[in-house]
Structure formats: C-alpha cells, structure tokens
C-alpha cells in the first residue's frame, strides 16, 4: 500500500488462497481433470473422490503453500510473482503427485484387506457349517 508492505494485505492474500481458492477451486478442478480426462470416472465420481481426500490434500497444501505465499506476497515484487509461483508450483506438482498416489495405494490396500477379511470370514463359516453337518450325519 503506497509502496509499503501491508501485513494485513499479505494475511488476506494468504488466507484467501489457503482457505478458499485452493480447497474450493484448485482441488475440485484438479480432481475433475485427473479423474475424467486421465482416469475413467465421471465428474460426479471425481467430486466424491475429492471429498474422501479433502483433509489430507488440503493439509499438505497448507503446509507447502502457506510459507511460500507469505514469502511471495511479503517479499517478492509483483512483477516477479508469476515466475516465482511457477517455480514453486513445479515442486508442488511432485508433492501433489506423491500424495495422490499414496492415498490411492492406501485405499487399494484397505480394499484388499477388507476383501481378504471377507473371504476369510466366508471360509470360516463354510468350515463351521461343514463340521456341523458332518456331526449330524
């Protein structure tokens, strides 16, 4: 403001990006693009997928982008912000890809575990039923 740093404006910019833009604009579009164009889900399924990943994804985004945004809005001159953000976004793409893949692997492992538990339960029930039937006969 008037050539001076306004901590209030920095806080507003960081808050807007952290609490509105990223969780309600960036991530929904990321999931819709990733799940419909790259994957095989519908836009509705992509939104459900994002709602499942909401807290981990936004937690990492806050941890990564908040210090970067504070530095950018507080120290980087406006004419250099696009370049600075682009360079930082390159690093975030790596983080985002890693997070998304780890969440996917965790879901697959959970699904596999629950499926194997169900199979084990069915097997035990069948064995119990066979034992009971053999006792009767």
């Amino acid at each position: 403001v008037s050539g001076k740093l306004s901590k209030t404006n920095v806080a507003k910019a960081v808050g807007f990006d952290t609490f509105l833009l990223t969780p309600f604009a960036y991530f929904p579009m990321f999931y819709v693009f990733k799940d419909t164009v790259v994957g095989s889900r519908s836009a509705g399924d992509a939104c459900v997928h994002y709602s499942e990943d909401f807290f981990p994804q936004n937690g990492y985004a806050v941890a990564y982008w908040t210090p970067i945004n504070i530095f950018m809005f507080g120290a980087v001159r406006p004419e250099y912000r696009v370049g600075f953000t682009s360079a930082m976004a390159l690093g975030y793409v790596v983080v985002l890809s890693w997070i998304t893949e780890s969440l996917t692997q965790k879901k697959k492992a959970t699904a596999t575990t629950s499926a194997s538990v169900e199979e084990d339960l069915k097997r035990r029930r069948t064995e119990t039923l066979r034992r009971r039937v053999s006792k009767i006969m």
Side-chain angles (χ1 to χ4, degrees):
V1 179
S2 301
K4 294 182 181 181
L5 177 65
S6 170
K7 292 180 183 177
T8 304
N9 285 350
V10 170
K12 287 178 185 177
V14 171
F16 176 78
D17 185 68
T18 302
F19 299 112
L20 291 175
L21 190 61
T22 298
F24 300 112
Y26 173 74
F27 275 125
M29 288 298 103
F30 168 76
Y31 273 82
V32 167
F33 177 78
K34 183 179 88 54
D35 288 353
T36 58
V37 175
V38 178
S40 60
R41 298 183 187 187
S42 68
D45 289 340
C47 292
V48 169
H49 185 203
Y50 172 55
S51 70
E52 295 168 353
D53 295 347
F54 183 86
F55 290 107
Q57 289 285 29
N58 284 290
Y60 282 105
V62 167
Y64 186 87
W65 283 109
T66 300
I68 290 172
N69 284 337
I70 289 170
F71 177 76
M72 179 183 65
F73 291 123
V76 177
R77 296 176 66 186
E79 57 267 20
Y80 299 119
R81 286 182 185 164
V82 171
F84 178 80
T85 302
S86 298
M88 295 299 105
L90 183 61
Y92 188 65
V93 167
V94 173
V95 171
L96 182 61
S97 297
W98 175 75
I99 294 165
T100 304
E101 183 60 27
S102 68
L103 290 171
T104 301
Q105 293 301 323
K106 186 186 284 185
K107 286 177 187 171
K108 285 180 182 177
T110 302
T112 302
T113 302
S114 64
S116 64
V117 167
E118 287 179 25
E119 289 174 16
D120 188 47
L121 185 60
K122 285 180 184 178
R123 184 183 53 77
R124 287 182 184 182
R125 286 179 183 163
T126 303
E127 288 175 4
T128 303
L129 183 62
R130 284 183 184 160
R131 276 186 270 143
R132 288 180 182 167
V133 169
S134 66
K135 284 181 182 180
I136 294 172
M137 296 185 153

